Amino acid sequence: MVAENLHSVKQHLPPHVALVAVSKTYSAEDIAAAYSAGQRDFGESRPQELLQKAAALPRDIRWHFIGHLQSNKIKMVTPHAHLIHSIDSAGLLQEVNKACEKAGTTARCLLQVHVAQEETKFGFLPDDLLAYLRSGEPGALRNVRLCGLMGMASNTCNMEQVRKEFRLIKQLHGQGKALAPQPELFAQVSMGMSGDYPIAVEEGATLVRVGTLIFGKREA
Ligand SMILES: *Cc1c(COP(=O)(O)O)cnc(C)c1O
């Protein structure tokens, strides 16, 4: 099943859009099935779960951390994460930088931008995001690489609203790129989930994060 689902999602993706298979709450066996079908990018949102799966599964998997990251969990995540999508504050980026400096590593990160109508979603507000990039503060952090933006649209069936939000993320990405410490690295736009990824692709996503359509409905 997983292989078939993966195939049908990928059929709708142009070659310049990468698929992150969101495997949070699913078993190592489910991930192994997707791996056998050729999938290498997987998304997890809990540090402990990422740690366990990374230890149990093939080394060439690229793990994407997509959940809210608490500062006391940074050290669990950075050794395994190919890309952290969910940097939702200046303080968090600073903490990730500090942890990587200590470990002698660097972390690839996306800034999470809050464009949805829900109050519960994390992230920089658009103006704050641009002000932060403009401040020059991120450029002083030597152990993080800013690779672009991540965002989520409102959880609504109003697809025009969803499209408007994705369009805003893409527009912010363009503005952010000009202000980023290394503009050529600031190339990723992570947006789109099972319910809305075709719209995200139309609006310029480079990474989509799809779980349910690949692995089935989540229990937890
Ligand atoms: C769970 C999750 C997804 C995947 O959601 P689906 O609806 O299962 O495709 C994508 N992005 C984030 C940040 C998530 O937490």
Side-chain angles (χ1 to χ4, degrees):
M1 266 313 260
V2 167
E4 282 92 337
N5 294 344
L6 198 56
H7 183 71
S8 67
V9 170
K10 290 192 87 154
Q11 259 185 336
H12 298 115
L13 297 180
H16 66 273
V17 180
L19 171 64
V20 177
V22 176
S23 49
K24 64 183 187 198
T25 76
Y26 297 102
S27 67
E29 288 71 30
D30 289 329
I31 298 174
Y35 181 89
S36 298
Q39 181 66 23
R40 291 295 180 271
D41 292 274
F42 292 91
E44 290 288 336
S45 59
R46 296 183 193 137
Q48 189 63 39
E49 198 176 331
L50 168 62
L51 212 64
Q52 285 166 352
K53 286 173 174 173
L57 286 154
R59 307 282 299 175
D60 64 337
I61 286 179
R62 293 183 291 267
W63 295 103
H64 296 250
F65 192 80
I66 63 172
H68 177 59
L69 182 55
Q70 293 173 288
S71 3
N72 61 346
K73 303 283 170 66
I74 291 171
K75 277 188 293 206
M76 291 169 72
V77 168
T78 47
H80 302 288
H82 168 71
L83 183 64
I84 300 172
H85 291 228
S86 43
I87 300 293
D88 53 17
S89 71
L92 179 60
L93 190 65
Q94 210 167 14
E95 292 290 325
V96 169
N97 183 69
K98 198 159 85 185
C100 289
E101 197 177 342
K102 267 195 197 149
T105 57
T106 57
R108 302 173 66 247
C109 297
L110 305 181
L111 299 177
Q112 181 172 351
V113 58
H114 178 122
V115 299
Q117 285 170 326
E118 286 102 83
E119 281 178 21
T120 52
K121 287 190 177 154
F122 292 102
F124 290 84
L125 293 172
D127 287 345
D128 296 345
L129 175 90
L130 295 176
Y132 178 53
L133 287 170
R134 217 173 269 127
S135 74
E137 214 182 294
L141 305 174
R142 296 290 168 205
N143 293 72
V144 291
R145 301 280 175 267
L146 281 189
C147 300
L149 297 185
M150 183 271 247
M152 276 180 265
S154 297
N155 185 12
T156 166
C157 20
N158 179 351
M159 287 301 153
E160 278 319 302
Q161 177 68 25
V162 166
R163 184 180 295 281
K164 230 168 56 187
E165 291 169 358
F166 285 149
R167 196 165 286 176
L168 175 57
I169 296 168
K170 180 70 175 181
Q171 186 204 331
L172 287 167
H173 174 262
Q175 292 172 279
K177 193 178 173 71
L179 301 165
Q182 293 166 283
E184 71 288 353
L185 270 188
F186 201 86
Q188 303 297 331
V189 183
S190 168
M191 60 185 190
M193 321 195 336
S194 289
D196 54 23
Y197 82 93
I199 301 176
V201 169
E202 286 171 12
E203 295 301 330
T206 66
L207 286 168
V208 294
R209 310 176 309 270
V210 178
T212 310
L213 281 181
I214 297 168
F215 296 108
K217 205 165 166 342
R218 235 171 259 115
E219 306 285 333

